[in-house]
Amino acid sequence: MMDLQSIRREYLQGHLRRSELNPDPLQQFSLWLEQAIDMQLEDPTAMVVATVGASGQPSQRIVLLKSVDERGFIFYTNYESRKARELDDNPKVSLHFPWTRIERQVLVGGIVEKIEPTVSASYFQSRPRESQLGAWASQQSRKVASRDALMEQFTQAQGKFDGQEIPAPAFWGGYRVVPTEMEFWQGGAHRMHDRFHYTLDAHGLWQIARLAP
């Protein structure tokens, strides 16, 4: 048996103080994201997306954040995938950015909305051609007989769009996560981590509270 109980380390890279926080959590997030990118973290835009379907069973997966602004966080997916079907049942979603190398985490709770089809189409055209073909070839989250069968679907998509611009599929597009709460976590010595929780009040203003680690 592996000895997992002894695997631990101290978190000593920094701290987070209330006076350092931007009153707008989306601007605070943008600052931390820029720092993560500048520090050349691996996959700084990778985030865990957690959804809950009709059965009440949560599920998670890692996707890439593709845009963030004052309205929220945007990612793209197949609208027939498991995550999309679960979001149809329950539009509440949780995001988690695990920047472990710099001992930081950001958690986001919010509601999803589909973005404008023109925005999805514009982003789709910016993707590498192979990724565009993959979107057409993969019936995401559906059972597939084998790797060979999956690649045959990709080959068929190649033939279908040979020499043509590839349009965005109607079953593919973006979601915007509109945040209702956000938490910023900075590791601290002796497990005395710094945690700050933003929540929206009845007037649509962000309130900030420190949480115990």
Side-chain angles (χ1 to χ4, degrees):
M1 294 290 290
M2 293 182 291
D3 180 13
L4 303 182
Q5 295 183 19
S6 64
I7 299 176
R8 63 175 60 85
R9 65 184 175 93
E10 281 284 5
Y11 298 92
L12 303 172
Q13 292 195 34
H15 63 267
L16 186 61
R17 301 293 181 260
R18 174 66 180 82
S19 60
E20 301 168 355
L21 292 171
N22 192 298
D24 184 335
L26 286 159
Q27 292 188 31
Q28 179 66 37
F29 175 84
S30 294
L31 172 64
W32 270 23
L33 177 61
E34 183 178 357
Q35 291 173 350
I37 293 170
D38 288 344
M39 295 179 72
Q40 300 183 330
L41 298 193
E42 185 174 357
D43 295 327
T45 62
M47 60 184 184
V48 178
V49 178
T51 56
V52 178
S55 69
Q57 173 63 53
S59 63
Q60 302 176 60
R61 71 289 292 160
I62 295 175
V63 304
L64 298 182
L65 176 69
K66 287 303 177 182
S67 181
V68 59
D69 59 23
E70 69 280 357
R71 299 171 65 188
F73 304 80
I74 290 178
F75 67 92
Y76 294 87
T77 190
N78 185 310
Y79 284 148
E80 298 174 357
S81 64
R82 175 176 177 173
K83 74 177 78 64
R85 296 195 305 271
E86 292 182 342
L87 290 172
D88 286 341
D89 291 327
N90 181 356
K92 292 182 179 180
V93 66
S94 177
L95 308 179
H96 177 219
F97 294 85
W99 295 324
T100 55
R101 203 183 91 192
I102 54 176
E103 300 173 358
R104 286 178 174 177
Q105 303 179 67
V106 179
L107 297 106
V108 180
I111 305 293
V112 297
E113 59 186 25
K114 286 183 178 179
I115 67 173
E116 302 81 355
T118 54
V119 177
S120 292
S122 177
Y123 169 71
F124 186 85
Q125 294 305 323
S126 75
R127 303 178 86 204
R129 187 173 179 86
E130 290 76 13
S131 296
Q132 295 176 351
L133 290 168
W136 278 97
S138 174
Q139 295 178 311
Q140 193 173 111
S141 303
R142 302 302 202 274
K143 292 181 179 179
V144 62
S146 65
R147 176 75 184 181
D148 288 343
L150 183 63
M151 293 311 298
E152 176 59 27
Q153 293 171 4
F154 186 86
T155 300
Q156 290 175 4
Q158 283 181 311
K160 178 179 179 179
F161 297 110
D162 186 33
Q164 305 175 41
E165 182 177 285
I166 304 174
F171 55 79
W172 186 96
Y175 285 104
R176 177 182 292 108
V177 178
V178 181
T180 56
E181 61 175 330
M182 293 180 63
E183 181 182 326
F184 294 83
W185 185 100
Q186 176 72 62
H190 318 304
R191 296 300 188 267
M192 301 302 288
H193 312 304
D194 291 314
R195 297 174 60 191
F196 287 94
H197 189 218
Y198 290 71
T199 53
L200 281 173
D201 66 17
H203 304 288
L205 301 175
W206 289 104
Q207 302 300 319
I208 307 174
R210 176 184 275 275
L211 303 181

